[in-house]
């Protein structure tokens, strides 16, 4: 059974940091491309960051470049999203996705940036 479980979300003040984790099971994590998406209320889901299967290639949405870092640990079957200098507009539900020939999604974790 494929599972992707996001964790690490919460309430943080502007300028603060959070680290999201996406713990997986049920598929060969090391050969899957991993991504983080987010969806704010009333908006479409958008790609935040992505990382290749081996971790050598990453890409980011312009809105998070220089603030967010995506990484992975293939031994732990886990992907991460380090989020620094958070802004109120980063408030959203954050999802991880595994992609190869099919997509697997997690259930999401809420991130709220507010003073």
């Amino acid at each position: 059974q494929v599972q992707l479980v996001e964790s690490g979300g919460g309430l943080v003040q502007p300028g603060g940091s959070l680290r999201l984790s996406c713990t997986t099971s049920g598929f060969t994590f090391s050969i899957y491309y991993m991504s983080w998406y987010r969806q704010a209320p009333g908006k479409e889901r958008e790609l935040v960051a992505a990382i290749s299967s081996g971790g050598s290639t990453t890409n980011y949405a312009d809105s998070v470049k220089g603030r967010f870092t995506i990484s992975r640990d293939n031994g732990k079957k886990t992907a991460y999203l380090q989020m620094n200098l958070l802004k109120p507009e980063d408030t959203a539900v954050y999802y991880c996705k595994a992609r190869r020939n099919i997509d697997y999604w997690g259930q999401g974790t809420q991130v709220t940036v507010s003073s």
Side-chain angles (χ1 to χ4, degrees), residues 21-59:
S21 298
C22 174
T23 304
T24 73
S25 61
F27 64 99
T28 307
F29 178 81
S30 61
I31 64 173
Y32 276 71
Y33 202 86
M34 295 299 297
S35 305
W36 286 94
Y37 285 73
R38 67 186 181 188
Q39 187 166 20
K43 295 188 176 182
E44 293 188 354
R45 192 172 296 189
E46 63 173 353
L47 176 66
V48 175
I51 187 167
S52 59
S53 57
S56 60
T57 302
T58 59
N59 57 75

Side-chain angles (χ1 to χ4, degrees), residues 84-105:
N84 299 328
L85 300 174
L86 283 161
K87 305 175 181 180
E89 50 264 44
D90 295 318
T91 295
V93 178
Y94 283 71
Y95 301 88
C96 65
K97 184 183 84 171
R99 178 173 65 86
R100 185 169 164 84
N101 49 344
I102 58 175
D103 294 345
Y104 300 126
W105 289 90

Side-chain angles (χ1 to χ4, degrees), residues 102-113:
I102 58 175
D103 294 345
Y104 300 126
W105 289 90
Q107 83 292 345
T109 185
Q110 176 69 48
V111 171
T112 302
V113 184

